[in-house]
Amino acid sequence: MSRSPGRKQENHKISRELFVLTYGALVAQLCKEYEKDEDVNACLDRMGYSIGIRLIDDFLARSAVKKCRSYSETVDMIAQVAFKMYLGVTPSVSCNSVTGNEFSLILDKNPLVDFVEELPAERASLCYCNLLCGVIRGALEMVHLAAEVSFLQDRLKGDAVTEIGITFLRKPEDRRHRR
Amino acid sequence: MDARFTRGKSPVLERALGRPRSELSLAAFALLFSELVQYCQRRVASVAELQARLAQLGHHVGLRALDALVARERPGRRETKVLGVLLFVKGPLWRALFGREADKLEQANDDERTFYVIEREPVVNTFVSVPRENSSLNCAAFAAGLLEAVLGAAGFPARVSAHWHKGTTLMIKFDEAVIARDKSLEGR
């Protein structure tokens, strides 16, 4: 693949509409092929996971962030740097538990649902953006942070905001011993 | 009554269309596209079927991209001539979707129904490397399906296919009726 050095800079952006519509086409295709919402959600999560395990490389290469020292720093990094870099939005972060390993990302604007009016009645429990959960889970796993990621609230289902819950599976104290 | 009409209006419908276009990282799209291709590949048995599936997904995208784009770029005017719609595709449509215009637009020497949109390196193929045993696969079949949907929805039904030629060539073959209509419009 020989390419002149200048080309990389001019090509590293893509139209948001193309991305959003392609995602919609993917979800529509999955809905056609799977009858149950759970199957579609699981498939989206799996695809998101395999995207996440590769996205983390791109993220680390392009953002040159320092090592995070705590779970809350990690989640801040996801919200303020990663989401900004890949989706152009910055969700707000809130910590849900005293133990410090449950967090929420609250998405005010979600570009993936730019053209989605609402979910059809027969697909009421579809998590349209479930790919995002898989991406976050995959990316975190590649930096040795096991986590469970899921949607706690979804605007498409009638909730007020879209909220993604991240639960780290190991106790925060374990990380300090790693050094 | 359809449940849809009894729920409140979605805020999406209230938003103005003419907002400035924003851009996202190519890496995100490339990874999504790769998952798409892998998903299709698991369900097909031949390269032709895979290209057909990609074209179908591109079709889905094209239908929806056209309306918003026309409303923004050409408000109040509709392309009625073949050349007009082809120039629209090569310029504004390609720029809006892929960030740059298509490289060339050509007409076939021997057939007035056939046109070619040529790109040296299509954006969807940026990170795609095709193994030798499937060397006829061109993932720009996605772009071909997209283009077919756009032309069909604009009133110029055609068949579009992707080929490896001077980079990637999308071959557009319009229906007879379209060319006949174009000729009669010129006659006026």
Side-chain angles (χ1 to χ4, degrees), chain A residues 39-134:
Chain A
D39 292 336
V40 179
N41 291 342
C43 198
L44 281 173
D45 192 68
R46 258 199 317 268
M47 289 177 142
Y49 180 79
S50 45
I51 291 180
I53 58 182
R54 291 146 78 196
L55 195 74
I56 185 73
D57 278 337
D58 184 78
F59 173 70
L60 291 174
R62 295 228 303 240
S63 63
V65 293
K66 297 210 180 52
K67 190 178 162 105
C68 294
R69 305 207 175 282
S70 68
Y71 285 150
S72 75
E73 247 187 80
T74 312
V75 180
D76 279 334
M77 196 65 67
I78 297 177
Q80 283 156 20
V81 187
F83 263 84
K84 182 89 191 151
M85 206 188 275
Y86 295 111
L87 289 177
V89 293
T90 314
S92 52
V93 180
S94 73
C95 182
N96 285 351
S97 78
V98 187
T99 50
N101 49 352
E102 282 178 31
F103 296 87
S104 294
L105 293 172
I106 299 176
L107 279 160
D108 203 30
K109 280 182 282 203
N110 186 357
L112 290 180
V113 303
D114 261 356
F115 295 108
V116 182
E117 190 197 337
E118 60 187 15
L119 295 175
E122 61 271 12
R123 289 279 175 196
S125 54
L126 176 70
C127 289
Y128 186 82
C129 303
N130 218 27
L131 196 95
L132 286 180
C133 294

Side-chain angles (χ1 to χ4, degrees), chain B residues 75-151:
Chain B
R77 303 189 61 184
R78 195 159 60 99
E79 298 295 339
T80 48
K81 302 242 180 69
V82 165
L83 196 58
V85 83
L86 286 172
L87 288 171
F88 174 73
V89 158
K90 179 203 183 241
L93 179 76
W94 234 246
R95 222 179 313 129
L97 289 176
F98 303 121
R100 58 168 197 251
E101 291 196 4
D103 291 329
K104 278 192 243 176
L105 173 65
E106 289 176 0
Q107 183 171 15
N109 288 336
D110 45 357
D111 186 1
E112 60 185 359
R113 288 165 55 185
T114 306
F115 292 82
Y116 303 108
V117 174
I118 299 174
E119 262 193 304
R120 255 167 304 132
E121 282 175 34
V123 171
V124 295
N125 281 354
T126 318
F127 296 112
V128 175
S129 59
V130 185
R132 218 172 325 168
E133 56 268 17
N134 291 339
S135 58
S136 58
L137 169 67
N138 191 335
C139 294
F142 180 79
L146 201 155
L147 188 49
E148 192 170 317
V150 166
L151 290 173

Side-chain angles (χ1 to χ4, degrees), chain B residues 4 13 31 36 38 41 47 49-50 66 68 70 75 77 101 131-132 135 142 144 151 170 173 177:
Chain B
R4 208 155 34 115
L13 300 174
L31 286 168
L36 214 78
Q38 282 178 57
Q41 203 169 18
V47 170
E49 261 184 76
L50 177 55
L66 179 65
V70 167
R77 303 189 61 184
E101 291 196 4
R132 218 172 325 168
S135 58
F142 180 79
L151 290 173
L170 295 176
K173 207 171 165 91

